[in-house]
Amino acid sequence: MRLKIKKILKSDDSIIGKKIKVYGWVKSVRDQKNFAFIEINDGSSFSSLQGVIENSNEDFRKILEISTGASLCLSGEVVKSPGKNQTYEMKIEHIEIIGNCSEDFPLQKKRHSFEFLRTISHLRHRTNTGGAINRVRNSLIFNTHKFFHAKDFFYIQTPIITSSDTEGAGDLFRVTTLKDLKKPEIEDFFKKKTFLTVSGQLNAEALAMGLSDVYTFGPTFRAENSHTSRHLAEFWMLEPEMAFCDLKGDIELAQDYIKSMIKAILKENDEDMQFFDQFIEKGLLERLNHVLDSNFEILTYTKAIDTLLKAKNQKFEFPVFWGCDLQSEHERFLTEQHVKRPVVVIDYPKDLKAFYMKDNDDGKTVAAMDILVPKIGEITGGSQREDSYEKLLKKIKDKNLDLDIYKWYLDLRRYGSAPHSGFGVGFERLLQFITGIENIREVIAFPRAAGTCDF
Ligand code: 4AD
Ligand code: MG
């Protein structure tokens, strides 16, 4: 019977005496003359399985051939382990070498820098950290679907290729089949200018007007030339959209979602999280439990600017004034120093935000919300959407956007418009927040960023 290592290690004593087969990759081989230990891992759990083979076994000689990284099938009996590091181990009866590993395998048993591991992204998920990140990432996706399913949201799929720039920020990757970009767009594949999507929001809004509560979750693309530890050119975004929901409801859902994800990961990925706490960010578990125990602080943009201006002994590189875009240093000050927990900044000046956000009564600000967390800064951006046809039309014109492109979007305000809100969670940033991993390029298997598109 083939068993995953996780199943064996998490089993109860009823597994003792069972004859099983385990497939995986060798972490280490230790030859003790009379017997040898083989540590094997199949990625199903942080811990590896220890196999013991006696020198009287005719496969014992094979241990001389096996190198770290080789793939094997071990057959044998599960026994109680006399060692204190594991409850069960395997008494090996047979070793089958499936694929041996060349001597120059770069992942020998020692610590490697994250920078080096990035150059071998096709192998790095075999390290302790790489395995843990991928397991937590998987868990987070699964729990995201569970969370929204339990709230009767519909999982929808929005297009990757689009003709609209949702955020109006202009950081778009063009999609074209034209050999000569000077040729008119009408000769292009779609007979118009098209791009990779920066956000599925506009299409999600269309589906929310009819299905009420929906979410889209997929890759999004931004040609931002940012060489920071929080920017990718291809990242995953989770975007719920709710009809009959205002900014307050939007913030409540976002807070509920983030806390629920932390709770789920702490419960389901205990071993991986203990590892992150010990080796990646000391005090990670305490930090996350603190987030669970506290409510996110809600701060208006105006109050945030006031706070930054009054910050004593704090020098900022970028000037602070009402109307300035909050830079990472400002965001981090608010969440790390000022309130020491996540902050929701609301009511930003309308000139700083996208055209679709609802105007507040003051005429200067919009019903926007950004969630800022310690170490990372902005993790979520959302808003209540403008639901008045006239106001939205004026906003599109004021921002000099192409009316033709947004005609269908305006229709949503003509045919049974309803107040609605949503937000976008940068999925890799959420992963950074939960794992304590410093650089966003570590939490996605094959990172794409300015100047980087390997593998
Ligand atoms: O704040 P943003 O630009 O908001 C939107 O795109 C809205 N349409 C979302 C919505 O209301 N449905 O992006 C949302 C989040 C940010 O808060 C950030 O966490 C993440 O996406 N993000 C990035 N993550 C990694 N690399 C980048 N280049 C990112 N740009 C944004
Ligand atoms: Mg934003």
Side-chain angles (χ1 to χ4, degrees):
M1 178 174 51
R2 180 183 171 193
L3 274 185
K4 288 273 173 82
I5 290 172
K6 176 182 170 181
K7 277 261 159 30
I8 303 166
L9 298 180
K10 285 214 176 294
S11 171
D12 56 30
D13 280 354
S14 64
I15 191 131
I16 294 173
K18 290 245 157 71
K19 299 266 190 179
I20 57 161
K21 275 182 191 238
V22 168
Y23 291 78
W25 292 266
V26 174
K27 283 268 184 185
S28 69
V29 181
R30 280 176 294 142
D31 184 357
Q32 315 276 52
K33 295 279 176 294
N34 293 335
F35 55 91
F37 292 113
I38 300 177
E39 210 192 329
I40 186 171
N41 190 284
D42 62 3
S44 64
S45 77
F46 187 90
S47 292
S48 303
L49 181 73
Q50 175 165 283
V52 189
I53 183 162
E54 291 182 6
N55 65 0
S56 53
N57 186 306
E58 67 174 67
D59 279 353
F60 189 79
R61 61 180 166 80
K62 289 189 185 165
I63 62 164
L64 296 174
E65 294 168 43
I66 300 170
S67 45
T68 302
S71 66
L72 302 181
C73 170
L74 299 179
S75 322
E77 183 183 334
V78 180
V79 296
K80 196 133 196 139
S81 175
K84 57 183 181 311
N85 293 327
Q86 62 278 315
T87 317
Y88 308 116
E89 61 185 32
M90 178 194 271
K91 189 166 181 287
I92 300 171
E93 287 163 10
H94 183 62
I95 299 173
E96 182 191 346
I97 301 175
I98 295 174
N100 220 335
C101 189
S102 161
E103 296 264 298
D104 58 357
F105 182 55
L107 294 174
Q108 301 301 332
K109 228 183 174 173
K110 65 170 191 150
R111 283 186 95 169
H112 301 280
S113 73
F114 284 126
E115 288 75 17
F116 168 70
L117 290 170
R118 246 176 260 152
T119 68
I120 50 165
S121 290
H122 58 309
L123 300 172
R124 65 178 176 166
H125 50 274
R126 298 198 207 174
T127 61
N128 285 339
T129 314
I133 288 170
N134 281 289
R135 281 186 296 272
V136 170
R137 188 178 169 109
N138 168 70
S139 230
L140 201 54
I141 293 174
F142 192 69
N143 278 290
T144 294
H145 288 299
K146 256 168 73 178
F147 176 87
F148 287 104
H149 185 75
K151 292 191 184 303
D152 287 323
F153 277 61
F154 294 101
Y155 172 40
I156 56 156
Q157 294 76 41
T158 47
I160 302 271
I161 300 175
T162 172
S163 55
S164 54
D165 175 6
T166 308
E167 293 307 298
D171 307 317
L172 297 154
F173 286 104
R174 176 98 182 261
V175 175
T176 179
T177 53
L178 287 179
K179 298 272 177 300
D180 175 5
L181 287 178
K182 290 200 192 84
K183 286 204 165 161
E185 284 131 29
I186 196 75
E187 289 183 29
D188 206 344
F189 187 84
F190 294 106
K191 303 203 180 303
K192 54 165 68 169
K193 245 192 182 148
T194 50
F195 313 94
L196 293 179
T197 186
V198 295
S199 156
Q201 178 195 322
L202 304 190
N203 301 82
E205 279 184 59
L207 279 116
M209 295 295 119
L211 292 166
S212 292
D213 294 330
V214 300
Y215 67 104
T216 182
F217 182 35
T220 47
F221 308 86
R222 296 197 184 181
E224 288 170 293
N225 200 8
S226 314
H227 300 259
T228 76
S229 58
R230 359 171 277 149
H231 285 92
L232 289 169
E234 177 179 308
F235 63 99
W236 282 63
M237 208 199 301
L238 164 74
E239 296 181 276
E241 192 68 36
M242 295 82 69
F244 312 107
C245 176
D246 61 10
L247 191 69
K248 190 164 167 279
D250 203 33
I251 296 171
E252 276 166 14
L253 183 75
Q255 172 167 315
D256 187 8
Y257 169 72
I258 293 171
K259 285 190 177 190
S260 299
M261 292 307 105
I262 294 175
K263 232 183 256 165
I265 296 298
L266 288 176
K267 187 164 163 241
E268 294 177 17
N269 295 72
D270 180 50
E271 215 185 354
D272 294 321
M273 292 304 286
Q274 294 286 349
F275 168 77
F276 290 132
D277 186 61
Q278 238 183 318
F279 294 101
I280 300 295
E281 179 190 333
K282 290 247 171 338
L284 170 71
L285 298 180
E286 197 187 321
R287 170 166 72 74
L288 293 176
N289 278 309
H290 174 63
V291 174
L292 289 183
D293 291 341
S294 49
N295 276 326
F296 295 7
E297 172 99 3
I298 298 178
L299 206 62
T300 63
Y301 169 89
T302 304
K303 188 85 196 297
I305 292 293
D306 226 39
T307 307
L308 293 169
L309 287 171
K310 285 193 189 133
K312 292 201 182 79
N313 310 324
Q314 186 73 32
K315 277 230 171 332
F316 295 115
E317 190 188 335
F318 293 89
V320 175
F321 55 94
W322 198 94
C324 75
D325 211 352
L326 293 183
Q327 301 294 328
S328 171
E329 56 172 348
H330 305 139
E331 294 178 342
R332 292 189 58 169
F333 175 82
L334 293 171
T335 164
E336 287 168 19
Q337 318 267 339
H338 182 55
V339 296
K340 302 188 169 61
R341 62 195 150 98
V343 179
V344 190
V345 179
I346 59 167
D347 302 339
Y348 281 78
K350 61 177 173 190
D351 288 342
L352 293 181
K353 293 291 184 187
F355 73 96
Y356 52 73
M357 295 192 187
K358 190 175 177 64
D359 281 343
N360 284 325
D361 291 339
D362 62 13
K364 294 188 300 189
T365 61
V366 284
M369 65 109 167
D370 276 8
I371 300 184
L372 317 177
V373 297
K375 289 189 70 182
I376 296 160
E378 182 190 336
I379 196 169
T380 295
S383 62
Q384 181 165 348
R385 322 305 189 187
E386 184 53 74
D387 54 302
S388 143
Y389 177 83
E390 287 74 24
K391 285 186 185 165
L392 184 61
L393 181 66
K394 183 169 178 326
K395 279 159 141 325
I396 290 175
K397 285 182 175 163
D398 285 353
K399 297 232 182 207
N400 281 323
L401 301 173
D402 185 349
L403 254 181
D404 252 11
I405 289 174
Y406 299 100
K407 251 181 92 191
W408 68 268
Y409 186 66
L410 277 158
D411 272 355
L412 304 176
R413 277 71 179 167
R414 297 201 299 134
Y415 305 140
S417 186
H420 61 291
S421 304
F423 57 85
V425 180
F427 196 68
E428 283 75 20
R429 290 195 189 169
L430 179 61
L431 261 169
Q432 283 183 280
F433 181 58
I434 290 180
T435 58
I437 293 282
E438 288 276 343
N439 196 310
I440 197 164
R441 296 173 194 214
E442 265 67 84
V443 295
I444 187 159
F446 301 107
R448 273 84 181 90
T452 302
C453 187
D454 302 320
F455 309 99

